[in-house]
């Protein structure tokens, strides 16, 4: 091993007695020795095998000539460094000519540079496979986590879209609907949001507002109050009004903000809100632009993601349809209420009689139905009071109610007959004209002949066609149920007798007519419901008539009515005395208020 010149294979084999050489020859670990000229002076058989050579092919040969690919590589760097430093070193590196990984340990001896090395290709392959498997698991875990996060976000977005439908369709108040929308999209889609609606007259109002930080809500409201009047044409909402397309600003620079909000006061209001990104979406329903909303992010959140923008666009379509449906329903409700009021004409206010009426539609469904009240004077000056209930709670019921009311009014005015006769004629007329309806009705007539007027008394005559009995509240708080044999409802052509009731109506007494919606409740016996009405009347004996009616509805119906309710109350003030101030002015038909 200490020879410096080239050796033959025979010369490289040590004498049999050289135990050290024999040990090195028998080593399983490859080894070779390089002299100062970088020539192999010794190679053990294991080393030659690993290098895909024989001992004779390597001994005496220059390593850089035999393996020129090693020049400039990590092995040359190791060998030259160890020779220069006189120490030792090691390295693991890929040796391209042999297509193997080697670990080389080098140290300098008197015999030359000794290099031991191992083929670590399999170990490295195993380690690489293990590392690849670990990396693959990490990638898979990261992908699973990403997919789970995306699924969670998608789920929250889907829930929000469903909540938008439910929240916005459960109210007919458009301002409340858009406020619910703003509350739902913040903070899921943005840090804060402002929703604009366009009223039928073209006026734009920013009415839906929400901020993730309650402490900044007042600041947001201050800016939103200024926004409509100060936004430039380049701002998202004005742009959407001109061209109903989504508008996205991934970054709101100072220059962009200045161009959108030229008003200094508005910019000062906007500054604490720190807008960094904005996206606007129009609200279009049935081809009509009805509003829009703006989503704004602060710098920490940054631009809106593609998922957020996609969800916001879907939300805009759902919100627009829900808002338009609410507006249409509100308009229909208004039309229905106006129709109902047109059918329920104001009552007369004759001499010392004070009349008050109330109508409350059922809470659910269309605000129109078959309940009605009426009060008018007959040619002889008697006051006719009518209350009735046509089956149903819809437009058809209201239309039928209009026919029945007109028939009752016409027949009662034309024929000065008792209430029972009026009901009999109306019943037969409905059948004869094939009006397809059934209705309960109560007709009362407040009568006074010359003697009664001189005596200061009034007489009350009434008849019922399937309708609840009226009540008479006396001045001392006593309540009397005005019972009478009840005939069947109108519309069946009843041939049997209908019977009148008759009583005196004392001064300061109050007559109460009502439909069954006032006291009928699911799960509550009818007698118990009427008893509640009676108790309320007893407590209200001294109350003004309007106050009595309002208390009656408030306590009996609460926040909502299960059925339509009509109430007609009549207070009998003293005959011959001046009409009380609280009763309001006398209201009579022109022919009776100015007799010829």
């Amino acid at each position: 091993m200490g020879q410096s010149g080239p050796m033959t294979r025979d010369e490289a084999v040590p004498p049999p007695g050289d135990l050290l050489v024999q040990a090195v020859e028998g080593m399983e670990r490859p080894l070779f020795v390089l002299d100062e000229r970088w020539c192999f002076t010794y190679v053990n058989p294991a080393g030659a095998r690993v290098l895909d050579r024989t001992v004779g092919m390597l001994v005496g040969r220059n390593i850089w000539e035999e393996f020129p690919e090693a020049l400039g590589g990590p092995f040359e760097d190791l060998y030259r460094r160890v020779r220069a430093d006189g120490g030792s070193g090691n390295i693991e590196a890929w040796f391209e000519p042999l297509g193997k990984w080697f670990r080389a340990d080098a140290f300098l001896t008197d015999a030359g540079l000794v290099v031991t090395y191992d083929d670590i290709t399999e170990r490295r392959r195993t380690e690489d496979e293990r590392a690849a498997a670990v990396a693959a698991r990490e990638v898979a875990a990261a992908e699973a986590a990403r997919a789970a996060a995306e699924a969670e976000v998608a789920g929250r977005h889907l829930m929000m879209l469903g909540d938008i439908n439910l929240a916005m369709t459960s109210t007919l108040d458009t301002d409340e609907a858009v406020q619910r929308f703003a509350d739902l999209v913040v903070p899921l889609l943005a840090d804060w949001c402002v929703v604009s609606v366009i009223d039928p007259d073209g006026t734009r109002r920013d009415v839906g507002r929400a901020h993730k930080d309650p402490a900044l809500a007042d600041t947001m409201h201050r800016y939103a109050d200024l926004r409509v009047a100060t936004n430039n044409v380049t701002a998202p909402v004005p742009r959407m009004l001109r061209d109903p397309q989504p508008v996205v600003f991934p970054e709101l620079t100072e220059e962009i903000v200045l161009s959108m909000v030229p008003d200094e006061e508005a910019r000062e209001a906007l500054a604490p809100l720190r807008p960094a990104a904005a996206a606007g979406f129009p609200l279009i329903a049935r081809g009509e632009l009805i509003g829009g909303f703006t989503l704004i992010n602060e710098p920490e959140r940054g631009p809106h993601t593609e998922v957020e923008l996609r969800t916001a666009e879907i939300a805009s379509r759902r919100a627009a349809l829900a808002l338009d449906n609410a507006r249409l329903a509100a308009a229909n409700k208004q039309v229905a209420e106006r129709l109902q009021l047109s059918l329920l004409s104001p009552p007369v206010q004759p001499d010392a009689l004070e009349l008050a009426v109330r109508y409350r539609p059922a809470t659910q469904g269309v605000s129109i139905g078959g309940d009605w009240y009426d009060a008018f004077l007959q040619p002889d000056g008697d006051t006719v009071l009518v209350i009735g209930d046509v089956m149903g709670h819809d437009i058809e019921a209201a239309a039928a109610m209009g026919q029945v009311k007109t028939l009752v009014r016409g027949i009662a005015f034309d024929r000065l007959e008792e209430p029972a006769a009026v009901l009999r004629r109306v019943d037969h007329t409905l059948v004869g004209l094939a009006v397809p309806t059934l209705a309960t009705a109560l007709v009362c007539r407040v009568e006074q002949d010359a003697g009664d007027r001189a005596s200061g008394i009034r007489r009350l005559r009434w008849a019922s066609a399937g309708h609840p009995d009226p009540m008479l509240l006396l001045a001392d708080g006593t309540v009397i149920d005005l019972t009478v044999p009840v005939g069947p409802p109108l519309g069946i052509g009843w041939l049997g007798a209908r019977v009148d009731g008759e009583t005196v109506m004392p001064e300061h007494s109050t007559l109460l007519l009502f439909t069954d919606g006032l006291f009928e409740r699911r799960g509550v016996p009818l007698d118990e419901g009427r008893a509640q009405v009676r108790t309320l009347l007893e407590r209200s004996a001294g109350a003004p008539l309007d106050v009595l009616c309002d208390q009656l509805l408030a306590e009996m119906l609460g926040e909502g009515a299960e059925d339509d309710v009509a109430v007609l109350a009549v207070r009998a003030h003293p005959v011959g005395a001046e009409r009380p101030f609280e009763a309001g002015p006398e209201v009579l038909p022109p022919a009776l208020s100015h007799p010829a």
Side-chain angles (χ1 to χ4, degrees):
M1 292 175 61
Q3 296 176 358
S4 59
M7 301 174 59
T8 65
R9 176 171 177 76
D10 292 339
E11 292 173 329
V13 178
D18 193 336
L19 296 178
L20 179 57
V21 172
Q22 290 180 8
V24 172
E25 289 283 326
M27 284 177 56
E28 292 185 1
R29 189 174 191 197
L31 178 146
F32 62 79
V33 181
L34 300 173
D35 61 15
E36 66 276 4
R37 294 176 301 157
W38 303 103
C39 292
F40 290 98
T41 59
Y42 177 77
V43 180
N44 71 351
R49 285 194 301 273
V50 171
L51 295 176
D52 290 341
R53 302 285 196 279
T54 64
V55 172
M57 294 169 63
L58 294 175
V59 173
R61 301 293 300 275
N62 183 282
I63 188 172
W64 312 124
E65 294 177 356
E66 185 65 22
F67 299 103
E69 299 87 349
L71 288 170
F75 295 104
E76 181 186 11
D77 291 343
L78 172 65
Y79 301 162
R80 292 188 184 278
R81 175 164 44 80
V82 171
R83 184 180 291 280
D85 296 344
S88 63
N90 61 75
I91 194 173
E92 289 187 3
W94 174 259
F95 191 52
E96 183 62 35
L98 298 179
K100 298 178 181 179
W101 280 90
F102 287 99
R103 173 185 170 89
D105 293 279
F107 54 92
L108 191 63
T109 68
D110 293 340
L113 182 67
V114 178
V115 179
T116 62
Y117 54 98
D118 295 296
D119 181 353
I120 60 171
T121 303
E122 288 302 320
R123 176 174 67 81
R124 289 297 297 257
R125 181 178 294 112
T126 301
E127 291 176 352
D128 290 346
E129 290 175 353
R130 185 181 299 114
V134 171
R137 285 196 297 272
E138 291 176 349
V139 170
E143 180 64 22
R146 183 191 63 78
E150 289 182 353
E152 180 185 3
V153 170
R156 292 170 63 192
H157 285 197
L158 285 174
M159 289 182 62
M160 181 201 68
L161 293 173
D163 290 342
I164 287 173
N165 285 345
L166 179 62
M168 296 188 68
T169 55
S170 59
T171 178
L172 299 183
D173 187 326
T174 56
D175 289 6
E176 181 181 354
V178 296
Q179 182 59 52
R180 292 180 180 183
F181 175 82
D183 291 335
L184 286 169
V185 300
V186 173
L188 189 58
L189 298 183
D191 289 333
W192 54 286
C193 170
V194 178
V195 186
S196 304
V197 296
I198 302 173
D199 290 334
D201 62 0
T203 303
R204 170 192 159 195
R205 296 184 297 120
D206 290 350
V207 291
R209 308 166 184 181
H211 198 292
K212 69 173 185 179
D213 185 357
L216 289 174
D218 289 342
T219 303
M220 174 191 62
H221 290 313
R222 178 173 174 243
Y223 168 68
D225 289 341
L226 295 168
R227 193 174 81 148
V228 173
T230 60
N231 268 174
N232 205 343
V233 293
T234 59
V237 176
R239 286 179 58 176
M240 288 188 296
L241 296 183
R242 296 193 312 272
D243 180 18
Q245 298 293 331
V247 180
V248 180
F249 292 92
E251 181 181 6
L252 286 177
T253 63
E254 291 185 8
E255 293 76 14
I256 294 176
V257 172
L258 181 61
S259 68
M260 292 181 179
V261 190
D263 182 76
E264 184 175 355
E265 183 182 3
R267 285 202 309 276
E268 290 177 356
L270 178 62
L273 298 170
R274 302 188 303 132
F281 295 85
L283 295 173
I284 303 173
R286 300 176 176 92
E288 180 185 359
L289 180 68
I290 60 175
F293 62 92
T294 310
L295 304 174
I296 305 97
N297 284 347
E298 297 175 350
E300 292 78 9
R301 182 163 182 164
H304 297 88
T305 66
E306 289 298 323
V307 173
E308 291 170 343
L309 294 175
R310 185 166 60 250
T311 300
E313 188 169 5
I314 297 172
S316 71
R317 294 196 293 269
R318 295 195 177 188
L321 188 59
L323 181 59
D324 193 48
N325 287 339
R327 295 172 69 170
L328 291 175
N332 289 338
K333 180 175 182 292
Q334 186 178 40
V335 170
E337 290 174 345
R338 288 180 178 176
L339 174 60
Q340 187 81 30
L341 291 175
S342 70
L343 294 173
L344 301 175
S345 53
V348 294
Q349 299 287 349
D351 53 63
L353 286 181
E354 177 188 355
L355 280 69
V357 293
R358 294 292 186 273
Y359 174 77
R360 178 80 67 86
T363 303
Q364 303 295 327
V366 179
S367 299
I368 190 169
D371 288 20
W372 90 91
Y373 55 77
D374 198 6
F376 55 92
L377 297 183
Q378 289 181 313
D380 61 0
D382 287 345
T383 302
V384 177
L385 310 171
V386 183
I387 195 160
D389 183 358
V390 171
M391 294 180 60
H393 308 285
D394 50 22
I395 298 294
E396 287 76 10
M401 176 266 284
Q403 296 183 70
V404 177
K405 175 189 173 183
T406 302
L407 284 174
V408 174
R409 172 175 276 237
I411 291 174
F413 184 85
D414 181 62
R415 299 291 185 96
L416 302 182
E417 296 180 325
E418 70 279 4
V422 171
L423 290 177
R424 183 169 55 253
R425 288 181 181 276
V426 172
D427 185 22
H428 293 167
T429 302
L430 288 174
V431 174
L433 295 178
V435 178
T437 190
L438 289 177
T440 68
L442 181 74
V443 177
C444 299
R445 190 171 67 193
V446 181
E447 304 173 348
Q448 265 190 335
D449 57 23
D452 292 336
R453 184 170 287 102
S455 303
I457 64 172
R458 297 180 180 88
R459 300 184 186 279
L460 180 66
R461 195 185 303 272
W462 76 99
S464 174
H467 201 83
D469 292 332
M471 293 182 180
L472 184 64
L473 171 65
L474 303 182
D476 62 359
T478 302
V479 177
I480 302 173
D481 285 306
L482 300 181
T483 59
V484 70
V486 178
L490 305 176
I492 65 172
W494 175 249
L495 298 178
R498 294 188 183 270
V499 181
D500 286 310
E502 184 179 352
T503 189
V504 173
M505 188 175 182
E507 293 181 350
H508 303 294
S509 64
T510 301
L511 174 67
L512 185 71
L513 286 65
F514 47 86
T515 56
D516 55 12
L518 181 66
F519 63 91
E520 284 190 1
R521 297 290 181 276
R522 284 191 294 269
V524 178
L526 295 180
D527 289 344
E528 184 176 329
R530 284 187 63 92
Q532 292 177 2
V533 176
R534 186 180 302 108
T535 300
L536 288 171
L537 287 178
E538 292 171 347
R539 296 203 312 260
S540 306
L545 195 59
D546 282 333
V547 173
L548 183 151
C549 291
D550 290 338
Q551 289 179 345
L552 189 64
L553 293 185
E555 296 191 37
M556 291 301 299
L557 305 181
E559 294 297 322
E562 296 179 7
D563 192 3
D564 301 334
V565 178
V567 172
L568 172 58
V570 183
R571 174 78 44 91
H573 296 294
V575 176
E578 289 188 10
R579 186 176 177 85
F581 174 79
E582 65 271 15
E586 185 179 57
V587 179
L588 300 175
L592 294 179
S593 58
H594 302 289

